[in-house]
Amino acid sequence: MRTIIDPRLQRIDHPMYGLGKGLAGAFWLQLPFITLACISSGPACDEGEGWEHVSVSLKDRCPTWTEMCVVKNVFWTEEEMVLQFHPPKSEYVNIHNFVLHLWKSPQAIQLPPRRFV
């Protein structure tokens, strides 16, 4: 995760995560025409087991691919690989209908051959 906080991020006090520290915590991310709610945790958080994570949500729709790309580049550098998962249905945890998640593994993950990416 980056160490510098993007000026478009506004830290907010969250009932479960408090104010957080660094890029861990809850934020509003102000984009030109929309504000995204982001909750992030990094390897320093005990519950993440080394995984870095950002959830991104809106009140009335899921974030778009373009919005998720902006979030990825706010919380990670352009050269870090970050994932979105589609787990088996039996593993779904759906607390919020309009949230998507970005994950960075603590271990290197190999990309498919470049012609498929």
Side-chain angles (χ1 to χ4, degrees):
M1 252 186 198
R2 291 184 179 271
T3 56
I4 298 172
I5 296 180
D6 189 291
R8 296 172 291 180
L9 284 176
Q10 176 189 351
R11 185 178 299 280
I12 56 175
D13 193 3
H14 189 276
M16 287 178 59
Y17 304 102
L19 285 171
K21 185 176 180 183
L23 278 175
F27 301 89
W28 296 123
L29 174 56
Q30 186 63 55
L31 301 182
F33 301 104
I34 195 115
T35 301
L36 302 172
C38 300
I39 298 175
S40 64
S41 61
C45 299
D46 292 338
E47 74 272 5
E49 299 180 23
W51 286 83
E52 296 175 9
H53 168 258
V54 176
S55 66
V56 185
S57 64
L58 291 160
K59 289 182 182 179
D60 57 355
R61 65 171 176 84
C62 281
T64 66
W65 173 260
T66 302
E67 291 161 349
M68 293 300 283
C69 289
V70 171
V71 171
K72 186 271 182 189
N73 289 325
V74 165
F75 286 89
W76 292 278
T77 68
E78 290 181 358
E79 291 303 311
E80 290 180 280
M81 184 170 64
V82 175
L83 308 165
Q84 284 186 267
F85 288 106
H86 294 263
K89 181 114 176 144
S90 61
E91 297 290 324
Y92 279 18
V93 178
N94 196 10
I95 297 170
H96 188 301
N97 288 329
F98 302 116
V99 66
L100 296 176
H101 302 269
L102 295 172
W103 296 90
K104 182 173 181 229
S105 173
Q107 297 148 5
I109 294 177
Q110 186 175 345
L111 283 171
R114 188 178 189 118
R115 67 185 181 277
F116 297 129
V117 177

PDB file of all heavy atoms in Angstrom, residues 53-78:
ATOM      1  N   HIS A  53      -6.454  -4.725   1.804  1.00  0.00           N
ATOM      2  CA  HIS A  53      -7.845  -4.777   1.347  1.00  0.00           C
ATOM      3  C   HIS A  53      -8.460  -3.384   1.334  1.00  0.00           C
ATOM      4  O   HIS A  53      -8.221  -2.586   2.231  1.00  0.00           O
ATOM      5  CB  HIS A  53      -8.639  -5.672   2.297  1.00  0.00           C
ATOM      6  CG  HIS A  53     -10.111  -5.581   2.106  1.00  0.00           C
ATOM      7  ND1 HIS A  53     -10.935  -4.847   2.955  1.00  0.00           N
ATOM      8  CD2 HIS A  53     -10.934  -6.102   1.170  1.00  0.00           C
ATOM      9  CE1 HIS A  53     -12.189  -4.957   2.543  1.00  0.00           C
ATOM     10  NE2 HIS A  53     -12.216  -5.695   1.466  1.00  0.00           N
ATOM     11  N   VAL A  54      -9.250  -3.106   0.305  1.00  0.00           N
ATOM     12  CA  VAL A  54     -10.069  -1.898   0.259  1.00  0.00           C
ATOM     13  C   VAL A  54     -11.452  -2.288  -0.233  1.00  0.00           C
ATOM     14  O   VAL A  54     -11.593  -2.949  -1.264  1.00  0.00           O
ATOM     15  CB  VAL A  54      -9.476  -0.810  -0.674  1.00  0.00           C
ATOM     16  CG1 VAL A  54     -10.405   0.395  -0.772  1.00  0.00           C
ATOM     17  CG2 VAL A  54      -8.097  -0.372  -0.190  1.00  0.00           C
ATOM     18  N   SER A  55     -12.484  -1.906   0.532  1.00  0.00           N
ATOM     19  CA  SER A  55     -13.854  -2.061   0.048  1.00  0.00           C
ATOM     20  C   SER A  55     -14.314  -0.699  -0.461  1.00  0.00           C
ATOM     21  O   SER A  55     -13.949   0.335   0.094  1.00  0.00           O
ATOM     22  CB  SER A  55     -14.789  -2.582   1.144  1.00  0.00           C
ATOM     23  OG  SER A  55     -14.929  -1.627   2.170  1.00  0.00           O
ATOM     24  N   VAL A  56     -15.087  -0.723  -1.538  1.00  0.00           N
ATOM     25  CA  VAL A  56     -15.531   0.502  -2.202  1.00  0.00           C
ATOM     26  C   VAL A  56     -17.040   0.403  -2.397  1.00  0.00           C
ATOM     27  O   VAL A  56     -17.527  -0.587  -2.949  1.00  0.00           O
ATOM     28  CB  VAL A  56     -14.834   0.663  -3.576  1.00  0.00           C
ATOM     29  CG1 VAL A  56     -15.201   1.983  -4.216  1.00  0.00           C
ATOM     30  CG2 VAL A  56     -13.326   0.511  -3.443  1.00  0.00           C
ATOM     31  N   SER A  57     -17.779   1.426  -1.960  1.00  0.00           N
ATOM     32  CA  SER A  57     -19.233   1.330  -2.071  1.00  0.00           C
ATOM     33  C   SER A  57     -19.875   2.667  -2.404  1.00  0.00           C
ATOM     34  O   SER A  57     -19.296   3.732  -2.214  1.00  0.00           O
ATOM     35  CB  SER A  57     -19.833   0.779  -0.776  1.00  0.00           C
ATOM     36  OG  SER A  57     -19.610   1.672   0.290  1.00  0.00           O
ATOM     37  N   LEU A  58     -21.101   2.541  -2.892  1.00  0.00           N
ATOM     38  CA  LEU A  58     -22.006   3.661  -3.146  1.00  0.00           C
ATOM     39  C   LEU A  58     -23.362   3.276  -2.569  1.00  0.00           C
ATOM     40  O   LEU A  58     -23.630   2.091  -2.337  1.00  0.00           O
ATOM     41  CB  LEU A  58     -22.133   3.928  -4.645  1.00  0.00           C
ATOM     42  CG  LEU A  58     -20.871   4.479  -5.317  1.00  0.00           C
ATOM     43  CD1 LEU A  58     -20.923   4.256  -6.819  1.00  0.00           C
ATOM     44  CD2 LEU A  58     -20.726   5.950  -5.008  1.00  0.00           C
ATOM     45  N   LYS A  59     -24.225   4.247  -2.362  1.00  0.00           N
ATOM     46  CA  LYS A  59     -25.542   3.966  -1.780  1.00  0.00           C
ATOM     47  C   LYS A  59     -26.475   3.223  -2.723  1.00  0.00           C
ATOM     48  O   LYS A  59     -27.257   2.393  -2.299  1.00  0.00           O
ATOM     49  CB  LYS A  59     -26.225   5.271  -1.347  1.00  0.00           C
ATOM     50  CG  LYS A  59     -25.612   5.907  -0.147  1.00  0.00           C
ATOM     51  CD  LYS A  59     -26.384   7.158   0.218  1.00  0.00           C
ATOM     52  CE  LYS A  59     -25.745   7.851   1.404  1.00  0.00           C
ATOM     53  NZ  LYS A  59     -26.447   9.069   1.769  1.00  0.00           N
ATOM     54  N   ASP A  60     -26.407   3.546  -4.035  1.00  0.00           N
ATOM     55  CA  ASP A  60     -27.444   3.058  -4.939  1.00  0.00           C
ATOM     56  C   ASP A  60     -26.966   2.256  -6.146  1.00  0.00           C
ATOM     57  O   ASP A  60     -27.763   1.895  -7.002  1.00  0.00           O
ATOM     58  CB  ASP A  60     -28.285   4.236  -5.430  1.00  0.00           C
ATOM     59  CG  ASP A  60     -27.448   5.306  -6.124  1.00  0.00           C
ATOM     60  OD1 ASP A  60     -26.211   5.190  -6.145  1.00  0.00           O
ATOM     61  OD2 ASP A  60     -28.046   6.260  -6.646  1.00  0.00           O
ATOM     62  N   ARG A  61     -25.667   1.982  -6.229  1.00  0.00           N
ATOM     63  CA  ARG A  61     -25.144   1.163  -7.325  1.00  0.00           C
ATOM     64  C   ARG A  61     -23.738   0.698  -6.967  1.00  0.00           C
ATOM     65  O   ARG A  61     -23.100   1.248  -6.072  1.00  0.00           O
ATOM     66  CB  ARG A  61     -25.120   1.933  -8.639  1.00  0.00           C
ATOM     67  CG  ARG A  61     -24.158   3.111  -8.642  1.00  0.00           C
ATOM     68  CD  ARG A  61     -24.001   3.700 -10.042  1.00  0.00           C
ATOM     69  NE  ARG A  61     -23.175   4.875 -10.070  1.00  0.00           N
ATOM     70  CZ  ARG A  61     -21.839   4.882 -10.129  1.00  0.00           C
ATOM     71  NH1 ARG A  61     -21.174   3.753 -10.145  1.00  0.00           N
ATOM     72  NH2 ARG A  61     -21.170   6.026 -10.172  1.00  0.00           N
ATOM     73  N   CYS A  62     -23.275  -0.329  -7.690  1.00  0.00           N
ATOM     74  CA  CYS A  62     -21.892  -0.778  -7.515  1.00  0.00           C
ATOM     75  C   CYS A  62     -20.947   0.192  -8.220  1.00  0.00           C
ATOM     76  O   CYS A  62     -21.319   0.814  -9.223  1.00  0.00           O
ATOM     77  CB  CYS A  62     -21.711  -2.171  -8.115  1.00  0.00           C
ATOM     78  SG  CYS A  62     -22.327  -3.488  -7.054  1.00  0.00           S
ATOM     79  N   PRO A  63     -19.734   0.319  -7.732  1.00  0.00           N
ATOM     80  CA  PRO A  63     -18.746   1.140  -8.432  1.00  0.00           C
ATOM     81  C   PRO A  63     -18.455   0.574  -9.821  1.00  0.00           C
ATOM     82  O   PRO A  63     -18.528  -0.639 -10.043  1.00  0.00           O
ATOM     83  CB  PRO A  63     -17.496   1.029  -7.549  1.00  0.00           C
ATOM     84  CG  PRO A  63     -18.004   0.599  -6.206  1.00  0.00           C
ATOM     85  CD  PRO A  63     -19.223  -0.227  -6.480  1.00  0.00           C
ATOM     86  N   THR A  64     -18.110   1.459 -10.740  1.00  0.00           N
ATOM     87  CA  THR A  64     -17.765   1.039 -12.104  1.00  0.00           C
ATOM     88  C   THR A  64     -16.315   0.566 -12.145  1.00  0.00           C
ATOM     89  O   THR A  64     -15.527   0.799 -11.221  1.00  0.00           O
ATOM     90  CB  THR A  64     -17.925   2.213 -13.093  1.00  0.00           C
ATOM     91  OG1 THR A  64     -16.944   3.213 -12.766  1.00  0.00           O
ATOM     92  CG2 THR A  64     -19.329   2.796 -13.062  1.00  0.00           C
ATOM     93  N   TRP A  65     -15.953  -0.055 -13.275  1.00  0.00           N
ATOM     94  CA  TRP A  65     -14.569  -0.477 -13.497  1.00  0.00           C
ATOM     95  C   TRP A  65     -13.635   0.731 -13.403  1.00  0.00           C
ATOM     96  O   TRP A  65     -12.598   0.688 -12.741  1.00  0.00           O
ATOM     97  CB  TRP A  65     -14.448  -1.153 -14.859  1.00  0.00           C
ATOM     98  CG  TRP A  65     -13.033  -1.460 -15.219  1.00  0.00           C
ATOM     99  CD1 TRP A  65     -12.219  -0.751 -16.048  1.00  0.00           C
ATOM    100  CD2 TRP A  65     -12.248  -2.558 -14.737  1.00  0.00           C
ATOM    101  NE1 TRP A  65     -10.976  -1.335 -16.115  1.00  0.00           N
ATOM    102  CE2 TRP A  65     -10.970  -2.450 -15.314  1.00  0.00           C
ATOM    103  CE3 TRP A  65     -12.509  -3.618 -13.867  1.00  0.00           C
ATOM    104  CZ2 TRP A  65      -9.952  -3.368 -15.058  1.00  0.00           C
ATOM    105  CZ3 TRP A  65     -11.482  -4.530 -13.622  1.00  0.00           C
ATOM    106  CH2 TRP A  65     -10.232  -4.401 -14.209  1.00  0.00           C
ATOM    107  N   THR A  66     -14.003   1.836 -14.028  1.00  0.00           N
ATOM    108  CA  THR A  66     -13.174   3.043 -14.018  1.00  0.00           C
ATOM    109  C   THR A  66     -12.997   3.571 -12.601  1.00  0.00           C
ATOM    110  O   THR A  66     -11.888   3.950 -12.202  1.00  0.00           O
ATOM    111  CB  THR A  66     -13.788   4.124 -14.933  1.00  0.00           C
ATOM    112  OG1 THR A  66     -13.896   3.587 -16.257  1.00  0.00           O
ATOM    113  CG2 THR A  66     -12.956   5.385 -14.948  1.00  0.00           C
ATOM    114  N   GLU A  67     -14.060   3.586 -11.823  1.00  0.00           N
ATOM    115  CA  GLU A  67     -13.968   4.037 -10.432  1.00  0.00           C
ATOM    116  C   GLU A  67     -13.058   3.120  -9.620  1.00  0.00           C
ATOM    117  O   GLU A  67     -12.247   3.584  -8.807  1.00  0.00           O
ATOM    118  CB  GLU A  67     -15.361   4.130  -9.809  1.00  0.00           C
ATOM    119  CG  GLU A  67     -16.191   5.254 -10.403  1.00  0.00           C
ATOM    120  CD  GLU A  67     -17.683   5.129 -10.179  1.00  0.00           C
ATOM    121  OE1 GLU A  67     -18.169   4.063  -9.723  1.00  0.00           O
ATOM    122  OE2 GLU A  67     -18.391   6.117 -10.471  1.00  0.00           O
ATOM    123  N   MET A  68     -13.162   1.807  -9.848  1.00  0.00           N
ATOM    124  CA  MET A  68     -12.304   0.858  -9.139  1.00  0.00           C
ATOM    125  C   MET A  68     -10.838   1.046  -9.539  1.00  0.00           C
ATOM    126  O   MET A  68      -9.939   0.897  -8.705  1.00  0.00           O
ATOM    127  CB  MET A  68     -12.762  -0.580  -9.392  1.00  0.00           C
ATOM    128  CG  MET A  68     -14.122  -0.905  -8.795  1.00  0.00           C
ATOM    129  SD  MET A  68     -14.194  -0.712  -6.999  1.00  0.00           S
ATOM    130  CE  MET A  68     -13.338  -2.193  -6.471  1.00  0.00           C
ATOM    131  N   CYS A  69     -10.585   1.397 -10.789  1.00  0.00           N
ATOM    132  CA  CYS A  69      -9.213   1.665 -11.232  1.00  0.00           C
ATOM    133  C   CYS A  69      -8.638   2.883 -10.513  1.00  0.00           C
ATOM    134  O   CYS A  69      -7.465   2.889 -10.124  1.00  0.00           O
ATOM    135  CB  CYS A  69      -9.158   1.865 -12.743  1.00  0.00           C
ATOM    136  SG  CYS A  69      -9.428   0.351 -13.686  1.00  0.00           S
ATOM    137  N   VAL A  70      -9.453   3.911 -10.327  1.00  0.00           N
ATOM    138  CA  VAL A  70      -8.996   5.091  -9.585  1.00  0.00           C
ATOM    139  C   VAL A  70      -8.658   4.700  -8.148  1.00  0.00           C
ATOM    140  O   VAL A  70      -7.605   5.065  -7.615  1.00  0.00           O
ATOM    141  CB  VAL A  70     -10.050   6.222  -9.617  1.00  0.00           C
ATOM    142  CG1 VAL A  70      -9.672   7.342  -8.661  1.00  0.00           C
ATOM    143  CG2 VAL A  70     -10.233   6.748 -11.027  1.00  0.00           C
ATOM    144  N   VAL A  71      -9.543   3.939  -7.510  1.00  0.00           N
ATOM    145  CA  VAL A  71      -9.306   3.504  -6.131  1.00  0.00           C
ATOM    146  C   VAL A  71      -8.013   2.689  -6.049  1.00  0.00           C
ATOM    147  O   VAL A  71      -7.179   2.905  -5.160  1.00  0.00           O
ATOM    148  CB  VAL A  71     -10.499   2.686  -5.585  1.00  0.00           C
ATOM    149  CG1 VAL A  71     -10.154   2.054  -4.237  1.00  0.00           C
ATOM    150  CG2 VAL A  71     -11.729   3.564  -5.474  1.00  0.00           C
ATOM    151  N   LYS A  72      -7.825   1.787  -6.984  1.00  0.00           N
ATOM    152  CA  LYS A  72      -6.607   0.968  -7.000  1.00  0.00           C
ATOM    153  C   LYS A  72      -5.378   1.861  -7.007  1.00  0.00           C
ATOM    154  O   LYS A  72      -4.422   1.660  -6.264  1.00  0.00           O
ATOM    155  CB  LYS A  72      -6.622   0.033  -8.209  1.00  0.00           C
ATOM    156  CG  LYS A  72      -5.464  -0.963  -8.240  1.00  0.00           C
ATOM    157  CD  LYS A  72      -4.286  -0.389  -8.952  1.00  0.00           C
ATOM    158  CE  LYS A  72      -3.143  -1.389  -9.026  1.00  0.00           C
ATOM    159  NZ  LYS A  72      -1.917  -0.784  -9.526  1.00  0.00           N
ATOM    160  N   ASN A  73      -5.384   2.894  -7.837  1.00  0.00           N
ATOM    161  CA  ASN A  73      -4.210   3.761  -7.961  1.00  0.00           C
ATOM    162  C   ASN A  73      -4.094   4.786  -6.827  1.00  0.00           C
ATOM    163  O   ASN A  73      -3.042   5.390  -6.662  1.00  0.00           O
ATOM    164  CB  ASN A  73      -4.198   4.447  -9.324  1.00  0.00           C
ATOM    165  CG  ASN A  73      -3.881   3.460 -10.422  1.00  0.00           C
ATOM    166  OD1 ASN A  73      -3.095   2.540 -10.237  1.00  0.00           O
ATOM    167  ND2 ASN A  73      -4.512   3.636 -11.557  1.00  0.00           N
ATOM    168  N   VAL A  74      -5.145   4.972  -6.045  1.00  0.00           N
ATOM    169  CA  VAL A  74      -5.063   5.821  -4.854  1.00  0.00           C
ATOM    170  C   VAL A  74      -4.409   5.038  -3.711  1.00  0.00           C
ATOM    171  O   VAL A  74      -3.570   5.559  -2.982  1.00  0.00           O
ATOM    172  CB  VAL A  74      -6.460   6.338  -4.444  1.00  0.00           C
ATOM    173  CG1 VAL A  74      -6.463   6.897  -3.033  1.00  0.00           C
ATOM    174  CG2 VAL A  74      -6.932   7.393  -5.437  1.00  0.00           C
ATOM    175  N   PHE A  75      -4.781   3.769  -3.564  1.00  0.00           N
ATOM    176  CA  PHE A  75      -4.291   2.980  -2.440  1.00  0.00           C
ATOM    177  C   PHE A  75      -3.027   2.182  -2.745  1.00  0.00           C
ATOM    178  O   PHE A  75      -2.297   1.804  -1.826  1.00  0.00           O
ATOM    179  CB  PHE A  75      -5.400   2.054  -1.930  1.00  0.00           C
ATOM    180  CG  PHE A  75      -6.457   2.787  -1.152  1.00  0.00           C
ATOM    181  CD1 PHE A  75      -7.556   3.333  -1.789  1.00  0.00           C
ATOM    182  CD2 PHE A  75      -6.330   2.967   0.218  1.00  0.00           C
ATOM    183  CE1 PHE A  75      -8.531   4.034  -1.079  1.00  0.00           C
ATOM    184  CE2 PHE A  75      -7.284   3.659   0.949  1.00  0.00           C
ATOM    185  CZ  PHE A  75      -8.394   4.197   0.299  1.00  0.00           C
ATOM    186  N   TRP A  76      -2.763   1.898  -4.021  1.00  0.00           N
ATOM    187  CA  TRP A  76      -1.571   1.159  -4.417  1.00  0.00           C
ATOM    188  C   TRP A  76      -0.894   1.878  -5.580  1.00  0.00           C
ATOM    189  O   TRP A  76      -1.512   2.710  -6.246  1.00  0.00           O
ATOM    190  CB  TRP A  76      -1.932  -0.261  -4.850  1.00  0.00           C
ATOM    191  CG  TRP A  76      -2.413  -1.125  -3.728  1.00  0.00           C
ATOM    192  CD1 TRP A  76      -1.651  -1.803  -2.825  1.00  0.00           C
ATOM    193  CD2 TRP A  76      -3.773  -1.431  -3.398  1.00  0.00           C
ATOM    194  NE1 TRP A  76      -2.454  -2.494  -1.944  1.00  0.00           N
ATOM    195  CE2 TRP A  76      -3.764  -2.283  -2.281  1.00  0.00           C
ATOM    196  CE3 TRP A  76      -5.001  -1.064  -3.938  1.00  0.00           C
ATOM    197  CZ2 TRP A  76      -4.916  -2.779  -1.694  1.00  0.00           C
ATOM    198  CZ3 TRP A  76      -6.155  -1.550  -3.353  1.00  0.00           C
ATOM    199  CH2 TRP A  76      -6.114  -2.405  -2.244  1.00  0.00           C
ATOM    200  N   THR A  77       0.345   1.524  -5.856  1.00  0.00           N
ATOM    201  CA  THR A  77       1.051   2.125  -6.984  1.00  0.00           C
ATOM    202  C   THR A  77       0.592   1.473  -8.282  1.00  0.00           C
ATOM    203  O   THR A  77      -0.024   0.401  -8.280  1.00  0.00           O
ATOM    204  CB  THR A  77       2.578   1.956  -6.852  1.00  0.00           C
ATOM    205  OG1 THR A  77       2.907   0.568  -7.000  1.00  0.00           O
ATOM    206  CG2 THR A  77       3.076   2.478  -5.511  1.00  0.00           C
ATOM    207  N   GLU A  78       0.934   2.104  -9.391  1.00  0.00           N
ATOM    208  CA  GLU A  78       0.545   1.588 -10.704  1.00  0.00           C
ATOM    209  C   GLU A  78       1.146   0.222 -10.994  1.00  0.00           C
ATOM    210  O   GLU A  78       0.612  -0.532 -11.798  1.00  0.00           O
ATOM    211  CB  GLU A  78       0.941   2.576 -11.797  1.00  0.00           C
ATOM    212  CG  GLU A  78       0.136   3.842 -11.786  1.00  0.00           C
ATOM    213  CD  GLU A  78       0.533   4.800 -12.905  1.00  0.00           C
ATOM    214  OE1 GLU A  78       1.473   4.482 -13.670  1.00  0.00           O
ATOM    215  OE2 GLU A  78      -0.112   5.853 -13.002  1.00  0.00           O
TER     216      GLU A  78
END
